[in-house]
Amino acid sequence: MPLAEQRGGAGSPAAETFESTAPATGAVVGVFPVHGPDDVRAAVDRARAAAATWADLGFDGRRTRLAAYRGHLARRVHELADLVHRENGKPHADAILEITLTVDHLAWAATHARKVLGPRRVSPGLLAANHAAWLEYQPLGVVGVIGPWNYPVFTPMGSIAYALAAGNAVVFKPSEHTPAVGTWLADAWRAAVPDVPDALQVVTGLGETGAALCRAGVGKLAFTGSAATGRRVMAAAAATLTPVLMELGGKDAMIVDDDADVAAAADAAVWGAMSNAGQTCIGIERVYATERVYDAFVAEVTEKVRGLRPGTDDAAAYGPMTMAAQTDVVRRHLDDAVAAGGRIAAGGTVEGRVVAPTVLLDVPETSAAVREETFGPTLTITRVRDAEEALERTNANPHGLAGAVFSRSRARAMDLARRMRSGMTSVNSVLTFASVPALPFGGVGESGFGRIHGEDGLREFTRAKAITRRRFGIPVDLMSFARPAAAADALARVVGLVHGRHR
Ligand code: NAD
C-alpha cells in the first residue's frame, strides 16, 4: 500500500493532504492527511478508551506487548532504516544506530516500569505510626507527543516508549517533515499489539495539527522541537492546566582540558558536530580548548574534517539538510561569524542542501554562531586560558541541554561535568548518555524541562498517588474533635524533645 493511502490512525480521511519529500532527491515519499481539530479529538477519544484497557493489563501485560512491539521493530530494522534514510536524508547506517538505540530504550522502559512505578510501602513516620503508607505512580490517561524530524524514531520514542510502559495511551503528531516514519511506527504497533491497537495512534499534519493536540484534552503533552514553538505549546496548554514536557534546542559545548587525549577529543568533536549533518539537539556546536592543547586540537580536527565527504549516497559521511530552510540558518551563522572576525579553517560552503563540514576559529562569543543553535555540520573552536574559563563560557549560554569534557584526570573531569549547566554531560566521549537507558534525558534553561529516559522518564508520564491505611486505633487520635485538651500540650513537648535541640 503506498504511504499516500495510509490513514495515520485518525480514522476518516481528512479533506486536505500534504506531501513529504526526500531531502536527497525531492521525490515524494508519501502524501498524508492534514488532520484537523475534529480528527485529533476523535483520536484522543479513541486513545482514552484504549488507555483504560492498556492500564488494566498491568505491568506484566504491558511488558509482553511492548516486547512484541520491539520484536516487530527489531525484525524490520532495515525496512525502517530505509524509510528514515529516504525521508530524513541520513545514511542507512546512522538510521540503524538510531533504531537500535530505540529498541534498547523500549526494552528498558518495559522491564523497569513495575519496579519504578509499582506500589511500594513507605515509612509512615512518628505521627502516623498506626497507619500503613503506600506510594504508587499512576498513568495520566492519554499522552500527546509532538515530535521533530532530526531523529524521527529515537526522539519521539523517548517519550512514547516511557509513556506506554507507564500505562498511558499515546497520540503522536510527527513532524511534517517525517510523517512516513511516524505513520510506520503506529502501523507497526497495530500489527504487533492487535488487542490494544489504539494505545498508540498517529495524527499527521502541520503546526496546526500539533496545536489541535494541545487543545484535545490529553493528560500531558510531551513536546520536542524549537523553543519558539515550545512557548506556543505551553501557552495553549496553560488554558487547560495541561502539564507539559519540553525538550528544546541546545548549543552544546565540549571542554578540552590541558591533560586531554587530544586525538580522541578531536575525533569525538568531529562526530558530535558533523554526524546527522549536525542536526542533533545534543550535537557539539562549540569547543573551548585550553591554550596548551588548542593548536594540536585545531590541527587534528581540521585534518579529520577534510576526510569527511557529505552527500546523498549511502557511503556519504552524512546526508543533506533535512529541511531546505535550515541551510539559510547555517549560512547566516557562517556570514555573521566571518563578519565578526571569525576564520573558516575548513568547509564553509553550502551546495544545495549539502553543507560542507565547517570549522570556525576566533569567532566572538557574541556571534550567532556561538550564541544560537546552528543545527548544521559546523563547529566553533575557541582558545581559552584554562578549563575554568571554558566552563564559564559554556555556562554563559542560555541553552543547557548537554555537553562533553575531555580530561585525563577523573576527579577534575567529574568536577567540571557536575558544574556544567546542562542536563547531561559525557566525559571523554560525546552523546553517550543518550544510549544509557537508565539515565534521564533533558535540559535546563532554554533547552527545556522535564525528563525522558530512565526512572525519571517513567515517572514523568505518571502522577504520584499517596494512600494511607489505618492499621489499628490508638487511645488518643489527634485528628479528632474528641481528642483531650491536654493532647496538644503533650504533642508540643514531644516536638520540643525530638526537634528542639537543633540550633
Ligand atoms: P519545530 O518547533 O519547528 O516543530 C516541532 C513540532 O512542533 C513539529 O511536529 C511541528 O509540526 C509542531 N508544531 C509547530 N507549531 C506548533 C504549534 N503551534 N503547536 C503545537 N505543535 C506545533 O521544531 P523542529 O524544527 O521540527 O525540530 C528541531 C528542534 O528540535 C531543534 O531546536 C532541536 O534542537 C530540537 N530537538 C530537541 C531535542 C531534545 O530532546 N531536547 C531532540 C530533538 C530535537
Side-chain angles (χ1 to χ4, degrees), residues 146-147 149 173 176 210-211 223-226 229 247-249 281 373 441:
I146 299 177
W149 43 265
K173 151 58 182 102
E176 50 271 44
F223 173 79
T224 308
S226 62
T229 311
E247 297 287 354
L248 310 176
C281 56
E373 184 178 51
F441 185 108

Side-chain angles (χ1 to χ4, degrees), residues 81-92:
D82 180 56
L83 186 58
V84 171
H85 167 63
R86 274 191 290 141
E87 195 174 44
N88 160 286
K90 71 180 68 182
H92 190 87

Side-chain angles (χ1 to χ4, degrees), residues 128-495:
N130 60 325
H131 295 255
W134 292 88
L135 166 64
E136 67 186 55
Y137 293 88
Q138 298 180 343
L140 301 168
V142 182
V143 170
V145 175
I146 299 177
W149 43 265
N150 54 339
Y151 288 85
V153 179
F154 178 74
T155 300
M157 286 301 278
S159 293
I160 294 169
Y162 289 79
L164 286 169
N168 304 280
V170 172
V171 176
F172 169 36
K173 151 58 182 102
S175 164
E176 50 271 44
H177 300 286
T178 50
V181 174
T183 303
W184 192 99
L185 291 172
D187 288 347
W189 176 266
R190 300 183 94 82
V193 190
D195 60 338
V196 207
D198 289 334
L200 172 58
Q201 297 172 73
V202 154
V203 289
T204 53
L206 315 183
E208 270 311 304
T209 305
L213 186 55
C214 300
R215 295 190 296 264
V218 294
K220 183 157 192 164
L221 255 166
F223 173 79
T224 308
S226 62
T229 311
R231 287 187 168 87
R232 284 198 285 279
V233 167
M234 276 187 80
T240 47
L241 288 180
T242 303
V244 291
L245 164 81
M246 289 282 141
E247 297 287 354
L248 310 176
K251 189 70 190 175
D252 292 354
M254 172 189 285
I255 296 173
V256 188
D257 204 353
D258 288 345
D259 62 350
D261 177 339
V262 171
D267 190 65
V270 172
W271 167 264
M274 314 297 172
S275 60
N276 207 36
Q279 305 167 116
T280 304
C281 56
I282 48 171
I284 299 294
E285 298 211 352
R286 318 174 266 162
V287 174
Y288 296 107
T290 62
E291 276 165 4
R292 188 175 298 178
V293 295
Y294 177 85
D295 289 336
F297 180 79
V298 169
E300 286 271 0
V301 166
T302 42
E303 171 76 24
K304 284 185 197 308
V305 157
R306 286 201 186 100
L308 288 187
R309 186 186 58 78
T312 53
D313 58 289
D314 233 2
Y318 61 81
M321 304 300 285
T322 306
M323 281 198 309
Q326 197 63 29
T327 54
D328 299 336
V329 177
V330 175
R331 264 204 203 92
R332 179 169 64 78
H333 285 194
L334 295 184
D335 292 349
D336 185 63
V338 171
R343 285 187 296 127
I344 295 176
T349 56
V350 182
E351 278 173 38
R353 286 205 201 182
V354 178
V355 180
T358 299
V359 180
L360 293 161
L361 308 177
D362 303 331
V363 182
E365 293 293 291
T366 49
S367 164
V370 179
R371 298 289 303 164
E372 299 169 22
E373 184 178 51
T374 308
F375 230 48
T378 68
L379 189 65
T380 64
I381 309 177
T382 304
R383 185 197 299 266
V384 287
R385 191 183 60 244
D386 54 21
E388 284 306 317
E389 186 185 352
L391 188 69
E392 214 172 280
R393 292 187 184 217
T394 297
N395 289 352
N397 195 281
H399 295 93
L401 194 52
V405 174
F406 273 77
S407 162
R408 283 196 173 92
S409 155
R410 190 188 299 182
R412 175 110 189 98
M414 288 299 285
D415 175 55
L416 287 166
R418 285 200 177 95
R419 290 189 292 134
M420 185 179 276
R421 184 179 160 277
S422 69
M424 303 152 285
T425 301
S426 300
V427 173
N428 295 335
S429 73
V430 287
L431 322 187
T432 308
F433 45 79
S435 65
V436 181
L439 284 177
F441 185 108
V444 302
E446 284 279 307
S447 295
F449 52 83
R451 294 292 181 264
I452 55 173
H453 302 175
E455 296 189 3
D456 298 87
L458 283 168
R459 288 198 193 102
E460 189 75 41
F461 298 106
T462 62
R463 61 171 81 90
K465 173 78 184 187
I467 301 174
T468 61
R469 181 178 53 78
R470 197 172 88 141
R471 291 161 56 227
F472 53 86
I474 45 175
V476 177
D477 186 350
L478 291 169
M479 296 200 205
S480 164
F481 287 115
R483 77 178 174 217
D489 285 341
L491 186 62
R493 271 199 303 282
V494 173
V495 171

Side-chain angles (χ1 to χ4, degrees), residues 78-101:
H78 283 292
E79 179 190 324
L80 179 57
D82 180 56
L83 186 58
V84 171
H85 167 63
R86 274 191 290 141
E87 195 174 44
N88 160 286
K90 71 180 68 182
H92 190 87
D94 284 356
I96 288 179
L97 178 61
E98 174 176 350
I99 297 161
T100 307
L101 289 172

